[in-house]
Structure formats: structure tokens, C-alpha cells
């Protein structure tokens, strides 16, 4: 697997735990409502009314800044507006003209535009309707307006300092004449268990007393829901870890390697017999533990093939490894022109097989050299030919019994796993939210399970996909030989490098060092062994490709193309005792 693969899977587990901790998943869906509303009505001077509201607003699962009132201006534009809260931001964020049912109104927003809240919060909001009492003796007040779009539970309206003769109370939708049950006239008080959306309360009668009074005290707080976010986060992390761990174990076991015998030597050089019991299976980790040190690469295997069987991947680095092998075999030459590599035809270019000859024709055409300094269509064509040859060879190699590598086939691993994490988090987060809304109380736990299992599962399936490749005994043997030779390149001592130098193997070994990502270590080993620098530069030319990957990719990739191109007026008549027929009222909501 590529570096960082386990990290991406761990991030997926952290993501689902964080989603639960933030309440995005795992919580029961709670619709927005007002749990308790206490409206206290008292005189404000000779003609005004002070409306003091205690609002226990349950924002539920929604994120809101705070409550919003829209108050009709038929009793004058609200003034002396105050707001407070013991557990939420409660500044007056906005007082602005509005329209309600086609009539002039005032919008009052309480909260902080930069802060969002959810769940249960209490607000105390007070305002004065300055011209509520008319020249006539009657008062008709929409104590709770019938324009709210959310339900209001446990509603109490209390008058203080105001007495009405022949007082009436109506409840229901606008225009309703249904009498309020349990309406008390001395003093005026009414309690309603619940107002559905667009239902209100209107109280009317002839004013017989108008004297200063204090607002009614606030009622006790409703019972608060206990937060289970910490428990949900722990459950999500546990489910995610179990899912990812199980996926890793299953992938590791499905992607085992067949080996011969019981020891490392047999596995690397033995021959599988025809009968049963001559081979066994080991995991990638167990195969890696069999690695020893080999002083020579496997016979008959090209550097790019060794890289492919070791990493179980075909990508641009294996194509680069093909070029480094061709340089080691004197089929190609390489030199630096400033900071840019230049490829040329080597002395053995005319002795190659038909497939390689076709690649060279694509590469050079009628020219002698190719400068890797920008897109070159002939080089791109040759690169594609190499990819095709590698795909065909690997498919016919017999080194894998399932999932052999191929160019341009999604392999999985860290980068793709990161993309899978992003897509799964968004998609399954939406699914979880939908289930929560659809299933109500059961939706929270169901959504948590779906997301906490689904996101790590999708991430781990992509991350651990490389583990599913299954080597045959032959493939495992070559993988062991290549891994053991790589240890030699990385850990070489002076006498070993000197032996390779005296036997004319520096060029070949350098090509393998490029293919196995050991170029720097091999070069350092040659310098430590005392190989003269001119000798290194003359015989280890394949090493030049170790740092030419970017130039090669730029030469084979075609550049993309892009193109650009208020008033306080009121009416002195027209009020009635039916719901919505009085002054004041309006709507309760949030913003």
C-alpha cells in the first residue's frame, strides 16, 4: 500500500465521530417549535401596551441565530424593545419595516448574526405598542398572532393592571370565533395547551380599569433534553473502527500470496509441484518477512517487471523504469543538456526485438535525439506503446491469479481513498439526514449506523483495494528476489559495490535502482565504495532518470487549453373579537 493509506482510513473514522459530536448524525430529529410561551400584557402610560413575552424556543435540529417576531403596526410601531436570554445570544440584531398580510409591520430579530444555536433556549422579549388604547372604550388585542408557521405549545396570556367588561377570548385560525376553554376574566388569564401553525388567541372587551402593573413572572423552564452527542461520537468511532478493521482483515486474507515450501529460500527459488500440498498461502506482511539480501537481480527479468511484481502496480514510474532498462542495455542513451535530459539511440538500438523496435520508431521517427523539455507527440506515442506492452506482458506473465496490475486502472490506495472519503461523507451524510427526518425518533440511531459504517467502509474498500491482488507461487518468488535485491542496493557495503564495479554491473544495477526507488541510496553506496566519479558518470547513466520523472511526464502530456469569457400609522376602527381581528399579534418564528 502507498504511504498514508492507513492515515486516510483513520481520518474517515475521525470524520464520522466528529459528525456525531457535532450533532450532524445520531441525534433524533426534533422539529422547530415554541415549547412554552408566556405573554404578559400591562399598560404603558395612558394609551400604550407593554407586551412582555417569555419564549422557550426549541430550535430542534435546526441551526438558527435566534427568534424573530413580526408585529403589525396597527397599534403603532413597536418601541422600547428589549431582549435577554440566560443561555443564548440575545442582542437586538435587527428592527426593520416589514409587511404582514399586506399591511405595515415591524420585524424584530433577536440573536447574533455570527452565531447559530440549536436546541432549547429561553428568551425574554419586551416591546411597547404605543397607541393601543383608542378614543373608544373597547380593546381588541391579538395576544398571540395567527401568522406563526411553527407550533406553539403551552401558551399562557396574562393581563396585569387591565380590566375588561364582557371580556371574550377566541382561539384558532384567523377568523375563528371558538371560545377559549378555561378563560378567566378576573384577572384576565387564559391557558391553551397547543396552538398549531397559523392559530392564535384574541382577547377583547370594554376597558374598565387601566393602571400600572408589573409583568407576570416567568414560568419555570421546560424540561431540557439530555445531550447524547458524546455517546453517539463514541459509538460512531467504534463502529467505524470495527468496519475499517474488518475490511482490512478481509482484504489482507483475500489478497494472500502463494509460496512454495516452508522457508524463505524455497519460497524465493523453489518450484511448485503438480500435486496438492506443495504450496501454501501467506499475507503480504508474511511475505515481506521472508526478504533476505540478494547480490543480483532475478535472471531474465527486466527492471520494470521487477518493480511491477514488487509493488503490484503499473504507473508512470514503471514506464520510466522501462527507459532506464533500455539505457542500461545500450538501446538508448541519455545525457543532460543544461537541466534537461536528452535521449538518443544507443549502439544496440538495431538489435532489439520487434516490439521494442516499434517503440523506438514511435520515439524517434526521422530524428536522432529527443529533448525532454515540453510536450512531444512522438514521445507521447512511444510512452503509450510502452504502457500497452507492459499491460500485455503482465496479463500473460502468470504472476497473479487475480487482480493483476494494469495502467490506468484504479488501484486504490491513499489518494483515491481520500476522494472516496469526501464523496461518501457528503452522500451518506445526506442519506443520514433524510433517514432522520423520515423516521423521526428512530431516524437518529439509524442514520448514525448508516454513516458510521458506510463512510469508513467506502474509504477502506478503496484504500485496501491494492491488498486484493493475489500472486501465484511464481510471482511470489520473483517478488521475494526483487525485494531481496533492493535490500542489497539500499544496504550495500563497500566490497559488494566494488565487486559489482569490477564485474561491469554498475550500469545494470543502476537501472534497477531507478526502477526500485533506490537511486539515491545506490549512488551513495558507489561513492562510499570509492568508485571514481568519472566512472560513476560514465557507467551509471540510468541514474539520470531518477530525477527526470517530471520532465518525462511533461514531454508525454499534452497541455490543456482553456478559454475565458415604516411608518406608525393605524386605523381607529375595524377591530373585532374573532381571532386575528384585534391589534398587535403577528408571527413568531426564527432566522
Amino acid at each position: 500500500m502507498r504511504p498514508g493509506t492507513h492515515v486516510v482510513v483513520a481520518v474517515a473514522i475521525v470524520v464520522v465521530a466528529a459528525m456525531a459530536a457535532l450533532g450532524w448524525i445520531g441525534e433524533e430529529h426534533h422539529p422547530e417549535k415554541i415549547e412554552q410561551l408566556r405573554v404578559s400584557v400591562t399598560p404603558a402610560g395612558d394609551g400604550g401596551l407593554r407586551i412582555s413575552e417569555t419564549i422557550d424556543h426549541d430550535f430542534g435540529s435546526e441551526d438558527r441565530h435566534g427568534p424573530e417576531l413580526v408585529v403589525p403596526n396597527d397599534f403603532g410601531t413597536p418601541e422600547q424593545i428589549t431582549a435577554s436570554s440566560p443561555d443564548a445570544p440575545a442582542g437586538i440584531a435587527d428592527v426593520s419595516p416589514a409587511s404582514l398580510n399586506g399591511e405595515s409591520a415591524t420585524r424584530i430579530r433577536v440573536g447574533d448574526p455570527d452565531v447559530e444555536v440549536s436546541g432549547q433556549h429561553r428568551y425574554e422579549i419586551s416591546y411597547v405598542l404605543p397607541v393601543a388604547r383608542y378614543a373608544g372604550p373597547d380593546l381588541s388585542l391579538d395576544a398571540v398572532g395567527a401568522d406563526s408557521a411553527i407550533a406553539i405549545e403551552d401558551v399562557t396570556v396574562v393581563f396585569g393592571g387591565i380590566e375588561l367588561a364582557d371580556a371574550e377570548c377566541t382561539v384558532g385560525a384567523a377568523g375563528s370565533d371558538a371560545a377559549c376553554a378555561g378563560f378567566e376574566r378576573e384577572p384576565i388569564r387564559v391557558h391553551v395547551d397547543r396552538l398549531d401553525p397559523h392559530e392564535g388567541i384574541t382577547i377583547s372587551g370594554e376597558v374598565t380599569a387601566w393602571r400600572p402593573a408589573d409583568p407576570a413572572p416567568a414560568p419555570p423552564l421546560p424540561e431540557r433534553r439530555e445531550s447524547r452527542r458524546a455517546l453517539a461520537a463514541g459509538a460512531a468511532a467504534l463502529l467505524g473502527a470495527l468496519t475499517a478493521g474488518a475490511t482490512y482483515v478481509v482484504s489482507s486474507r483475500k489478497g494472500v500470496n502463494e509460496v512454495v515450501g516452508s522457508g524463505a529460500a524455497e519460497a524465493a527459488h523453489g518450484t511448485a509441484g503438480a500435486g496438492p500440498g506443495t504450496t501454501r498461502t501467506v499475507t503480504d506482511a508474511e511475505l515481506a518477512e521472508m526478504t533476505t539480501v540478494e547480490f543480483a537481480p532475478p535472471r531474465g527479468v527486466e527492471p520494470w517487471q521487477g518493480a511491477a511484481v514488487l509493488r503490484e502496480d503499473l504507473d508512470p514510474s514503471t514506464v520510466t523504469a522501462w527507459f532506464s532498462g533500455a539505457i542500461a542495455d545500450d538501446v538508448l542513451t541519455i545525457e543532460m543538456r543544461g537541466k534537461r535530459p536528452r535521449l538518443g539511440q544507443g549502439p544496440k538500438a538495431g538489435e532489439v526485438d520487434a516490439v521494442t523496435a516499434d517503440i523506438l520508431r514511435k520515439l524517434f521517427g526521422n530524428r536522432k535525439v529527443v529533448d525532454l523539455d515540453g510536450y512531444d507527440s512522438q514521445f507521447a506515442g512511444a510512452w503509450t506503446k510502452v504502457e500497452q506492452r507492459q499491460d500485455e506482458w503482465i496479463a500473460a506473465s502468470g504472476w497473479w491469479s487475480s487482480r493483476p496490475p494494469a495502467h490506468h486502472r484504479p488501484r486504490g490506495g491513499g489518494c483515491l481513498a481520500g476522494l472516496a472519503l469526501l464523496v461518501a461523507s457528503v452522500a451518506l451524510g445526506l442519506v443520514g439526514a433524510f433517514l432522520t427526518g423520515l423516521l423521526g425518533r428512530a431516524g437518529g440511531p439509524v442514520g448514525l449506523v448508516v454513516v458510521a459504517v458506510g463512510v469508513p467502509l467506502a474509504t477502506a474498500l478503496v484504500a485496501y483495494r491494492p491488498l486484493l491482488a493475489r500472486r501465484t507461487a511464481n510471482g511470489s518468488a520473483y517478488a521475494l528476489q526483487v525485494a531481496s535485491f533492493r535490500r542489497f542496493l539500499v544496504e550495500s557495503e563497500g566490497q559488494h559495490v566494488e565487486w559489482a564495479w569490477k564485474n561491469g554491473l554498475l550500469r545494470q544495477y543502476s537501472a534497477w535502482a531507478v526502477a526500485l526507488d533506490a537511486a539515491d541510496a545506490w549512488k551513495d553506496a558507489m561513492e562510499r565504495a570509492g568508485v571514481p566519479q568519472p566512472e560513476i558518470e560514465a557507467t551509471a547513466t540510468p541514474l539520470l532518470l531518477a530525477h527526470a520523472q517530471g520532465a518525462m511526464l511533461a514531454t508525454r502530456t499534452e497541455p490543456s487549453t482553456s478559454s475565458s469569457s415604516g411608518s406608525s400609522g393605524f386605523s381607529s376602527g375595524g377591530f373585532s373579537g374573532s381571532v386575528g381581528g384585534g391589534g398587535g399579534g403577528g408571527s413568531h418564528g426564527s432566522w
Side-chain angles (χ1 to χ4, degrees):
M1 294 182 299
R2 289 171 177 165
T5 297
H6 289 307
V7 174
V8 177
V9 176
V11 169
I13 298 170
V14 172
V15 165
V16 295
M19 293 171 74
L22 293 171
W24 296 353
I25 59 172
E27 288 194 336
E28 299 173 0
H29 177 71
H30 298 283
E32 183 180 4
K33 64 181 179 180
I34 293 177
E35 288 186 284
Q36 184 173 235
L37 176 63
R38 171 71 63 90
V39 181
S40 177
V41 183
T42 55
D46 293 333
L49 283 178
R50 176 169 292 281
I51 308 297
S52 302
E53 299 189 6
T54 300
I55 305 172
D56 288 304
H57 202 128
D58 184 356
F59 299 101
S61 304
E62 308 298 330
D63 290 323
R64 296 287 188 260
H65 298 289
E68 176 184 271
L69 307 183
V70 180
V71 182
N73 292 336
D74 43 17
F75 279 175
T77 302
E79 56 187 39
Q80 301 180 38
I81 301 168
T82 63
S84 63
S85 172
D87 52 18
I92 305 298
D94 178 54
V95 177
S96 59
S99 177
L100 186 65
N101 299 321
E103 302 294 334
S104 174
T106 297
R107 175 182 291 107
I108 302 170
R109 285 180 169 174
V110 176
D112 188 333
D114 299 322
V115 178
E116 290 184 332
V117 296
S118 61
Q120 300 161 287
H121 298 278
R122 166 165 285 192
Y123 295 88
E124 301 276 359
I125 301 176
S126 173
Y127 56 89
V128 170
L129 301 175
V131 289
R133 189 176 182 188
Y134 292 82
D138 294 339
L139 173 68
S140 184
L141 174 69
D142 292 334
V144 181
D147 293 293
S148 301
I150 59 176
I152 306 176
E153 298 180 344
D154 196 8
V155 183
T156 302
V157 179
V158 181
F159 276 46
I162 300 174
E163 297 177 8
L164 301 177
D166 300 322
E168 295 182 355
C169 176
T170 54
V171 62
S176 171
D177 291 320
C180 302
F183 176 48
E184 302 175 14
R185 292 177 172 80
E186 294 183 5
I188 293 174
R189 178 187 178 89
V190 63
H191 176 265
V192 177
D193 289 335
R194 176 183 170 90
L195 293 176
D196 289 327
H198 304 291
E199 289 187 342
I201 298 173
T202 296
I203 296 176
S204 58
E206 181 180 347
V207 177
T208 57
W210 190 277
R211 56 180 177 270
D214 294 327
L221 285 169
E223 183 179 356
R224 293 303 198 222
R225 292 189 298 272
E226 293 184 4
S227 174
R228 298 181 179 177
R229 291 185 178 183
L231 178 62
L238 178 60
L239 283 172
L242 291 174
T243 301
T247 305
Y248 175 74
V249 170
V250 171
S251 300
S252 299
R253 291 182 176 177
K254 289 186 68 175
V256 293
N257 307 279
E258 188 179 13
V259 296
V260 176
S262 59
E266 290 177 289
H269 300 285
T271 303
T278 59
T279 63
R280 60 191 176 97
T281 57
V282 297
T283 65
D284 287 345
E286 291 170 334
L287 188 68
E289 290 176 358
M290 298 181 187
T291 303
T292 58
V293 177
E294 296 276 359
F295 298 124
R299 291 185 179 181
V301 176
E302 297 181 27
W304 75 264
Q305 295 166 346
V309 75
L310 181 62
R311 295 191 296 111
E312 297 191 291
D313 194 15
L314 289 178
D315 60 12
S317 67
T318 51
V319 180
T320 302
W322 181 92
F323 280 92
S324 70
I327 293 169
D329 293 338
D330 287 328
V331 173
L332 293 175
T333 63
I334 186 170
E335 61 178 336
M336 298 302 294
R337 307 286 292 183
K339 294 184 178 181
R340 295 293 183 180
R342 168 178 283 183
L343 295 178
Q345 299 188 47
K348 295 184 179 180
E351 303 173 13
V352 297
D353 58 75
V355 175
T356 304
D358 187 36
I359 294 173
L360 296 180
R361 282 193 296 272
K362 283 279 187 183
L363 179 62
F364 292 105
N366 295 324
R367 55 190 177 174
K368 297 295 184 182
V369 297
V370 177
D371 290 317
L372 305 182
D373 59 357
Y375 175 67
D376 185 290
S377 61
Q378 291 179 238
F379 182 85
W383 184 282
T384 301
K385 276 289 182 182
V386 174
E387 290 180 334
Q388 292 172 352
R389 181 201 174 189
Q390 291 182 344
D391 285 341
E392 293 167 359
W393 194 95
I394 288 295
S397 67
W399 288 358
W400 286 270
S401 58
S402 67
R403 293 188 179 273
H407 284 286
H408 309 298
R409 177 187 297 167
R411 178 178 183 265
C415 294
L416 283 178
L419 179 61
L421 168 59
L422 176 62
V423 173
S425 298
V426 174
L428 291 177
L430 293 174
V431 170
F434 172 76
L435 290 174
T436 300
L438 178 67
L439 302 178
R441 293 180 65 85
V446 171
L448 182 139
V449 172
V450 169
V451 177
V453 171
V455 172
L457 177 62
T459 306
L461 285 174
V462 177
Y464 300 136
R465 182 182 174 90
L467 297 177
L468 296 175
R470 186 184 182 104
R471 295 185 186 93
T472 62
N474 207 26
S476 297
Y478 281 116
L480 273 176
Q481 293 177 48
V482 172
S484 297
F485 180 60
R486 187 182 187 278
R487 284 189 63 181
F488 164 77
L489 295 174
V490 173
E491 302 172 6
S492 288
E493 297 179 2
Q495 66 270 25
H496 300 143
V497 179
E498 186 176 355
W499 174 85
W501 173 31
K502 291 181 178 179
N503 284 274
L505 297 175
L506 292 185
R507 182 185 297 273
Q508 180 188 7
Y509 283 17
S510 295
W512 275 92
V514 172
L516 301 181
D517 193 25
D520 291 339
W522 176 243
K523 185 177 180 181
D524 290 343
M526 287 190 292
E527 293 174 346
R528 288 197 308 270
V531 179
Q533 190 64 34
E535 186 73 12
I536 294 177
E537 294 176 356
T539 61
T541 52
L543 292 178
L544 294 176
L545 283 182
H547 304 290
Q549 184 78 40
M552 298 187 78
L553 292 178
T555 307
R556 67 99 172 177
T557 304
E558 186 172 4
S560 60
T561 57
S562 60
S563 59
S564 57
S565 57
S567 68
S568 60
F570 62 90
S571 169
S572 61
F575 292 101
S576 70
S578 60
V579 174
S587 69
H588 290 80
S590 61
W591 64 291

